[in-house]
Amino acid sequence: MFREEGIFKNLLCRPVPKTAKMAEATSLGLTTILLLLLSLAFFPVGGRGDGFPADFELFSRAIFARSAAAGNLSADTSAWHTALEVEGSSISSRSPVHVYPQKGLMEADKIPELPGQPRGVDFNQYSGYVTVDPKAGRALFYYFVESPGSSASQKPLVLWLNGGPGCSSLGVGAMMELGPFRVNRDGKTLQRHVYAWNKLANIIFLESPAGVGFSYSKTTSDYKLSGDKRTAKDAYAFLVNWLERFPHYKTSEFYIVGESYAGHYVPQLAYEVLLNNKMGNRAVINLRGIAIGNGLLDDDTRVKGTLDYFWMRDLISDELHGSLAKSCFSARATAQACVEDARKAFSLIRSIYIYDIYAPLCNYSSLTPLSGSAAWGVDPCSDAYVTAYLNDPAVQRALHAKPTVWQNCRQSRSSQQLRTY
């Protein structure tokens, strides 16, 4: 599922050799355009109803500023120099993470019972906030499920991260993928998930960065300045303090796992952990491995592969696919022709649930899904059930969350990054 909150920061900040050919610069800019169109094809942001936000011109200016820079031309960098400044802190200047008093917080975070949960739950659940920057008032929300039985702390500890950037590991990871529960179609009750990962390990679902899900900052500018490096630093600060709150997991085998844009989050957090493990007077985290599923690593490959997939499934015609190859991915590519072809392509697949193209669409105006079940057991209304459940005031109280209008993915009119789960 494609979402966005900000746009292009990672693309715009990626260094490009000055000797890059103009064709390569044009290709990079067009790929960025396609990423935007691919996102907006499914989730309109600006309110105009056609899937393209009112500030599309600002996005375009950022795109072509990046393309011009790649071609060693005069570039307007005003759209992205702030992101460079945020990302540019040196490793050597980092100071140790401050550990805040955690006594009694583990007990306070324990969840006696979630509203609507089934009988016979045989594992402990915890959720709450961990402050990662007291000056800015930045705090990350977590949901932790232990493995059943009395020997839970002897099993591995796993941190799960969803992508986006900016999509919720609670709503997506815990409630729709690998967590212990699924939200039923009434949006009020839960059922056990037979393939829950906490049968084998203890799982932390972290909503990161601040502004995602229940995580927050008292400094609103934080929401516009989040970048991969600060996200990694905050996640590391979270881990250090969380392990003080749950000290019996300090020596557990620890794994960082995630999907989609977590293809960036996971290795960067792992690097942060390993770097700090080698420095003196710092907590040592027993990191044993990482795992990435369907990682979003290369934008060029992702966009072209997505369009090829649509073509191979007969969602777009041979003629349109061929035209896209020429207008967007060849040496003769031009922005105008690429945008025109991309609009045609994405308008054709806009009414299709892209995670299961053979499934019916969900009627989001109601929690009652369409009759019948989707192929492979995928319910395209799952997002609606989860959103209804996590916005129930009783559920938020049980989770020790601040009253919030919870969203699966944080969206913003001043988007800086594309989002996928």
Side-chain angles (χ1 to χ4, degrees):
M1 196 171 291
F2 298 85
R3 312 260 183 171
E4 89 250 271
E5 165 175 72
I7 189 170
F8 315 131
K9 187 171 73 61
N10 292 289
L11 283 175
L12 297 175
C13 294
R14 189 166 57 191
V16 177
K18 292 184 178 180
T19 57
K21 297 179 181 178
M22 191 59 204
E24 294 173 339
T26 302
S27 176
L28 178 59
L30 295 180
T31 297
T32 310
I33 291 176
L34 288 172
L35 282 167
L36 173 62
L37 295 178
L38 180 61
S39 172
L40 298 180
F42 301 102
F43 293 91
V45 183
R48 297 192 332 192
D50 59 355
F52 295 89
D55 43 4
F56 182 78
E57 292 303 320
L58 174 62
F59 299 163
S60 299
R61 182 166 64 88
I63 294 166
F64 288 106
R66 181 62 178 83
S67 297
N72 198 25
L73 302 177
S74 176
D76 174 10
T77 61
S78 62
W80 48 276
H81 79 277
T82 300
L84 284 171
E85 293 174 356
V86 172
E87 295 285 300
S89 60
S90 64
I91 295 174
S92 60
S93 64
R94 297 180 184 181
S95 57
V97 169
H98 182 70
V99 178
Y100 308 98
Q102 302 292 330
K103 185 177 180 180
L105 294 182
M106 182 187 76
E107 293 77 11
D109 285 354
K110 190 170 184 179
I111 303 171
E113 182 177 351
L114 286 174
Q117 80 174 32
R119 296 180 180 179
V121 172
D122 55 353
F123 55 86
N124 292 323
Q125 308 173 72
Y126 302 82
S127 63
Y129 292 93
V130 173
T131 298
V132 296
D133 187 332
K135 185 176 180 180
R138 207 157 60 242
L140 300 184
F141 184 85
Y142 78 93
Y143 172 58
F144 176 51
V145 289
E146 289 187 311
S147 193
S150 59
S151 58
S153 61
Q154 298 176 20
K155 295 183 179 180
L157 177 66
V158 174
L159 175 70
W160 173 265
L161 300 171
N162 273 92
C167 290
S168 168
S169 298
L170 170 62
V172 183
M175 296 294 183
M176 294 171 61
E177 295 178 329
L178 58 135
F181 301 117
R182 289 284 187 271
V183 181
N184 291 321
R185 294 179 176 182
D186 58 8
K188 298 179 180 180
T189 59
L190 304 173
Q191 60 177 297
R192 291 292 291 266
H193 177 212
V194 65
Y195 300 113
W197 284 23
N198 74 314
K199 292 183 177 181
L200 300 175
N202 306 285
I203 315 293
I204 308 169
F205 299 93
L206 178 64
E207 292 195 305
S208 173
V212 175
F214 294 120
S215 296
Y216 69 92
S217 175
K218 294 180 180 178
T219 305
T220 56
S221 60
D222 278 352
Y223 301 144
K224 296 181 180 180
L225 297 177
S226 291
D228 289 353
K229 288 186 178 180
R230 195 178 74 180
T231 298
K233 290 179 182 179
D234 282 359
Y236 176 74
F238 166 85
L239 286 173
V240 171
N241 282 275
W242 188 92
L243 288 170
E244 288 297 318
R245 189 174 300 187
F246 293 81
H248 47 294
Y249 284 103
K250 283 187 175 182
T251 59
S252 297
E253 292 186 352
F254 178 62
Y255 297 85
I256 307 172
V257 185
E259 66 183 13
S260 192
Y261 195 85
H264 293 269
Y265 289 157
V266 169
Q268 292 189 42
L269 175 55
Y271 176 77
E272 193 78 19
V273 169
L274 294 174
L275 182 69
N276 282 277
N277 279 353
K278 292 183 178 181
M279 295 184 178
N281 300 321
R282 305 197 182 194
V284 175
I285 296 175
N286 187 21
L287 178 63
R288 303 303 296 272
I290 67 174
I292 300 169
N294 194 30
L296 174 54
L297 301 174
D298 184 89
D299 294 310
D300 298 351
T301 301
R302 170 196 167 196
V303 172
K304 191 174 187 305
T306 299
L307 293 170
D308 285 345
Y309 173 79
F310 294 154
W311 170 61
M312 289 187 290
R313 291 295 182 270
D314 295 325
L315 300 179
I316 61 177
S317 67
D318 293 347
E319 292 78 13
L320 181 54
H321 182 260
S323 184
L324 281 162
K326 294 178 182 178
S327 63
C328 298
F329 301 106
S330 73
R332 293 178 294 175
T334 65
Q336 181 176 355
C338 180
V339 169
E340 289 177 358
D341 284 344
R343 282 178 181 268
K344 294 176 184 177
F346 297 137
S347 67
L348 293 173
I349 49 85
R350 190 167 175 165
S351 60
I352 294 173
Y353 181 61
I354 62 169
Y355 284 116
D356 184 351
I357 64 174
Y358 304 111
L361 287 177
C362 175
N363 176 11
Y364 274 79
S365 64
S366 171
L367 288 180
T368 302
L370 300 179
S371 60
S373 59
W376 312 111
V378 176
D379 189 336
C381 284
S382 295
D383 193 11
Y385 312 151
V386 170
T387 299
Y389 185 77
L390 292 178
N391 278 294
D392 185 330
V395 173
Q396 295 189 1
R397 287 193 297 271
L399 289 170
H400 315 120
K402 293 180 178 295
T404 305
V405 178
W406 184 92
Q407 294 178 317
N408 240 345
C409 294
R410 178 174 172 80
Q411 299 186 29
S412 170
R413 289 284 302 276
S414 59
S415 301
Q416 295 275 332
Q417 295 171 311
L418 280 173
R419 2 208 75 110
T420 61
Y421 282 173

